[in-house]
Amino acid sequence: MSIDFTSVHNHYERPVFDTVVRLAPGYPYLDAEALPDVACVALNRLGARYIRHSVDLTFYLTEKERLAMDETITDAVTFAFEFVQARMAMRARR
């Protein structure tokens, strides 16, 4: 039996990637090479919320839940930027 799992993904991936791109100009010391690290740190802070279709999750969320999720994503990405920036600064001092 062959089962196709390619439609399964973590819901937070796309919104985190979009938030990283949106906030990146505020962190001029981090280059494009560091942005995937920022995304990984943020995603690890959020945990996983696996779905098959983004529309399915969006349909079942209330406006309050959607806003809370957006705020949680922004907080995780902001933390990740600060974390990666601090690590790179520490590495540069050595």
Side-chain angles (χ1 to χ4, degrees):
M1 174 189 303
S2 176
I3 302 171
D4 180 12
F5 291 105
T6 58
S7 65
V8 176
H9 63 280
N10 182 349
H11 166 73
Y12 288 119
E13 289 172 358
R14 179 54 38 207
V16 164
F17 300 157
D18 292 344
T19 304
V20 168
V21 170
R22 181 172 52 84
L23 296 181
Y27 297 88
Y29 297 110
L30 297 180
D31 59 13
E33 182 77 19
L35 298 185
D37 293 332
V38 171
C40 287
V41 171
L43 285 165
N44 285 329
R45 288 185 65 80
L46 291 169
R49 188 164 196 165
Y50 286 98
I51 58 171
R52 286 191 66 197
H53 307 286
S54 296
V55 113
D56 292 344
L57 179 64
T58 304
F59 179 77
Y60 291 106
L61 291 176
T62 66
E63 183 66 21
K64 184 177 179 179
E65 290 170 322
R66 198 172 303 114
L67 290 172
M69 188 179 284
D70 289 345
E71 185 176 330
T72 300
I73 290 168
T74 300
D75 291 348
V77 171
T78 300
F79 171 87
F81 267 111
E82 297 295 329
F83 179 84
V84 171
Q85 186 170 265
R87 293 291 180 187
M88 292 182 84
M90 286 174 46
R91 230 183 284 152
R93 289 185 197 140
R94 291 181 190 176

